Each structure stands twice: as C-alpha cells, then as structure tokens.
Amino acid sequence: MGDDQAKSETASLIEHRAYARVGLLGNPSDVYFGRTISFSLGNFWATVCLQPSDDLVIQPHPTHDLVVFKSLDHLVNRLDSEGYYGGVRLLMAICKVFLDYCKENEIQLEPRNFTLSYDTNIPRQTGLSGSSAIVCAALSCLLDFYKVRHLIKVEVRPGLVLSAEKQLGIVAGLQDRVAQVYGGLVYMEFDKEHMDTLGHGIYTPMDVSLLPPLHLVYAENPSDSGKVHSTVRQRWLNGDEFIISSMTEVANIALEGRTALLEKDYTKLAALMNRNFDFRRSMFGDDALGALNVEMVEVARRVGAASKFTGSGGAVVVFCPDGPSQVKLLEDACQKAGFKLEPIQVVPSLLNEVDLQTLTK
C-alpha cells in the first residue's frame, strides 16, 4: 500500500522549468510600443513543483525565504545581499491572477488543492528575469493541474505573468515573459493598436540556429534592475521628443536585427547591438545605469566585441565577431575586472502541441 501511494504521488507531481531571458535587441522599447528580439537562456532557470494536497500550501524556499537566522548580524547581512523578498509572494500572486482570469473568462476549475514549491539558480538582480521565471513555471503547473492549458492562449500567458508581478510593484514589460512562455528565439512587436485591441503584441518565433555564438557577462553584486526605467518613462509620457525619437530608433534596431539574423549578417548584428546600448546610455545616463553595469559593456568593447545589457543592467550579452581568439581576450579582461563570463546556451521553443493549437492563426 505504501509503495502504491508513493507511486501515485510521484505520478501526480507536476514540475515545470522556466529559463532566464536575454533581451538581444530592441529593449527597452517593449514598454514603449516598440519591438524586441529575445531568447531563453539555458544557463539558468527556475523550477516549480506542484503536488496535490489536502490544504493549499505555498512552501517557503529553505534559502530564498529564510526566516531563521544565527544572529542579528546574519539577518542583516542576508537582507543586504538578498533583499526582503523571496519567491513565496510570487507564487501567491500568480495563484490570484490565475483564479481571477479563470473567473472572468468563465473557465471552470475543479475544487482541488495543491502544494507549490520552487527552486532557482538565476542570479539575483542581473536583469535576467529571475522573478518572472518563477511565476512562469508556476503558471505552467496550474495550467496542467487544472487541465486548462487548451483554454488559456499562449499569447495571453505572458500578460498573466506580468500581471502577477505588477501586483507586487515589480517594474517590467512583456518582453521577458514572452521569451519565457515561448522559449527559443522570439521577435516581438508591441504596436499600440494591437496592445489596445488584443492586450498583447505579435510574437513570431525564429529558428535558434540563426544566432551566432554569444557570451554572458555578469557581476556577483549587481544593481537593482527595477529602478532604471523611472525618469525615462515619465519623460516619454510627458512627450519628450528626444526620448520618443530614441525609443523609435531602438525599436527599429530590432526590426533591422531580424533581417540581419535571417541573413546571418553578423557584422550587422554586432553594429546593432552596440547601437542599442548607445541609445540606452544617451537616454538614461550613466548615473541611472550604474558604473558597474557600464563597465561590463566597456570591458567587452575594449577587446572589440559587441555588447549590450540583457535587461536593465546586471548582465551583458556579448558577441565576439572575430571568434575564439577574441573570446580568449574577453575571458582575460573579465577575470581582471572581476566579472563572470560564460558561453550562452539557447533553449529551443518550449511550446507543446496543445500550446501550438491555442496560437492565433
């Protein structure tokens, strides 16, 4: 009986993984009705497990949701390095948003309970979308547990993930969540008309083999990615011509980048990556970007590589057009500067047959 019960519990365990995300071109124009190209980063991920249970339980993570400390110093050091929040609030928020969406759309859910737990190896505050990865993986678990994957369209899901994060005051756009829901390499258009009428953009998956070898540079103690958009956003809303025209240029970089990738014109890709960061720098200014973040970009540029933020700072995506000899120079430069460097692994599309059937034809 014990063995049968254990087998039954294992069979009913639902587990989903969502990966970190790299904004390759066009960011941050996704928040300004622009265009972006992003991909799923296989180097880091979050995993969420769902197990049926009598009560509904959100399990704290033994490390990320620590509430027992050795001393007052331990507690304060922990807060300084990790902040006040773990993943429990993220899991709670997506549960609320999921239920609200199902009620609004008259999707019936069986009255069943579950236990949610999570784990993540995505470095904090690196602009790699660690929070949304947890939310995205949890949403996938809920879709399967309640057997409603076919009823909630793929295009809608990034908005649900974002909505959960907005409940918690997290500043973000749709781009990251699209990359994490779809997996692989995705070209995204966020023009105002579509966003207003559909509530989401137009998302076009691309073949991951179009990408050249890329590298990730990140810092051990990076900046807070949620604070960088603030003044630019207000200036954009106020009709600042410089910001509006710059955002249009950044959006056009993604459009040009799509053609460059389809043609495997990597010289053009390198130029576009550099131009993307230059526009960000001119709009936000070095004070907002942070000296450490700017230095990560500059370290790569000093060896002749193309580089830009993966998100709002904390990590940089690098392309070495001259190949392995240039990568070696980059390795040495990163080691001297105290930055971590690793080859990027790109995750192929995560969509299954049920998901694909929900896509707008």
Side-chain angles (χ1 to χ4, degrees):
M1 172 102 178
D3 284 350
D4 288 345
Q5 188 179 351
K7 278 178 191 168
S8 165
E9 284 183 5
T10 305
S12 59
L13 175 74
I14 296 168
E15 182 174 306
H16 279 286
R17 182 181 280 192
Y19 293 89
R21 171 289 291 122
V22 168
L24 182 64
L25 291 172
N27 54 317
S29 77
D30 59 310
V31 201
Y32 304 89
F33 305 115
R35 305 179 196 89
T36 61
I37 298 175
S38 298
F39 61 82
S40 277
L41 175 68
N43 306 56
F44 304 111
W45 60 87
T47 306
V48 174
C49 293
L50 184 153
Q51 185 96 40
S53 56
D54 294 334
D55 294 318
L56 198 159
V57 180
I58 309 290
Q59 278 191 347
H61 190 278
T63 305
H64 305 302
D65 298 289
L66 198 60
V67 289
V68 178
F69 302 92
K70 293 173 186 164
S71 66
L72 203 51
D73 278 337
H74 182 205
L75 181 149
V76 171
N77 288 339
R78 164 72 195 201
L79 293 180
D80 286 343
S81 62
E82 299 284 329
Y84 284 87
Y85 302 117
V88 165
R89 65 185 184 136
L90 298 167
L91 298 180
M92 287 183 173
I94 191 59
C95 286
K96 178 188 186 304
V97 166
F98 173 75
L99 179 60
D100 287 348
Y101 181 85
C102 289
K103 282 181 175 174
E104 283 165 24
N105 292 274
E106 299 182 345
I107 297 170
Q108 299 297 315
L109 300 179
E110 281 183 59
R112 307 168 65 199
N113 282 336
F114 54 84
T115 295
L116 274 183
S117 59
Y118 78 98
D119 198 7
T120 180
N121 62 12
I122 301 174
R124 283 177 57 82
Q125 305 296 355
T126 47
L128 295 172
S129 297
S131 295
S132 56
I134 295 169
V135 180
C136 188
L139 176 60
S140 270
C141 289
L142 293 170
L143 294 175
D144 288 346
F145 180 66
Y146 287 106
K147 299 183 172 62
V148 294
R149 185 171 284 274
H150 61 298
L151 297 175
I152 301 181
K153 292 168 62 171
V154 170
E155 291 104 326
V156 167
R157 294 176 204 166
L160 297 180
V161 175
L162 182 59
S163 184
E165 293 178 279
K166 281 187 171 174
Q167 301 255 326
L168 305 169
I170 293 171
V171 178
L174 274 168
Q175 168 192 217
D176 308 358
R177 289 94 204 138
V178 174
Q180 289 170 320
V181 166
Y182 280 67
L185 176 68
V186 188
Y187 171 68
M188 311 171 204
E189 297 174 276
F190 299 99
D191 68 90
K192 194 171 189 308
E193 189 183 341
H194 264 93
M195 295 296 288
D196 289 345
T197 55
L198 301 174
H200 59 76
I202 302 170
Y203 311 135
T204 309
M206 299 176 69
D207 190 336
V208 295
S209 70
L210 295 171
L211 289 169
L214 298 167
H215 284 76
L216 184 76
V217 175
Y218 62 102
E220 290 275 37
N221 300 298
S223 66
D224 180 41
S225 66
K227 292 172 183 167
V228 179
H229 292 310
S230 54
T231 60
V232 168
R233 180 87 187 152
Q234 196 53 54
R235 286 165 65 193
W236 184 79
L237 290 169
N238 292 345
D240 183 310
E241 285 182 21
F242 173 69
I243 297 297
I244 289 169
S245 64
S246 296
M247 276 304 170
T248 302
E249 290 287 347
V250 170
N252 287 337
I253 284 171
L255 185 62
E256 289 182 59
R258 184 181 185 217
T259 303
L261 285 171
L262 290 169
E263 294 175 355
K264 295 199 173 182
D265 183 349
Y266 297 139
T267 304
K268 177 76 169 171
L269 176 67
L272 291 171
M273 286 173 67
N274 283 333
R275 201 190 327 158
N276 200 148
F277 179 74
D278 292 343
F279 272 115
R280 179 186 280 271
R281 193 173 189 176
S282 68
M283 285 188 284
F284 287 90
D286 284 11
D287 286 347
L289 297 186
L292 190 71
N293 290 323
V294 172
E295 180 58 18
M296 273 189 276
V297 171
E298 295 290 356
V299 159
R301 287 191 174 186
R302 283 197 288 268
V303 300
S307 59
K308 63 175 290 296
F309 288 177
T310 59
S312 297
V316 165
V317 54
V318 180
F319 171 44
C320 292
D322 296 343
S325 59
Q326 197 171 34
V327 172
K328 181 69 177 75
L329 292 174
L330 180 64
E331 283 172 3
D332 295 344
C334 284
Q335 193 170 10
K336 271 185 197 161
F339 298 138
K340 288 183 171 284
L341 172 74
E342 49 188 275
I344 279 176
Q345 300 162 35
V346 184
V347 176
S349 173
L350 300 170
L351 303 181
N352 63 27
E353 283 304 313
V354 178
D355 296 325
L356 292 170
Q357 284 166 18
T358 75
L359 287 170
T360 303
K361 297 293 186 283

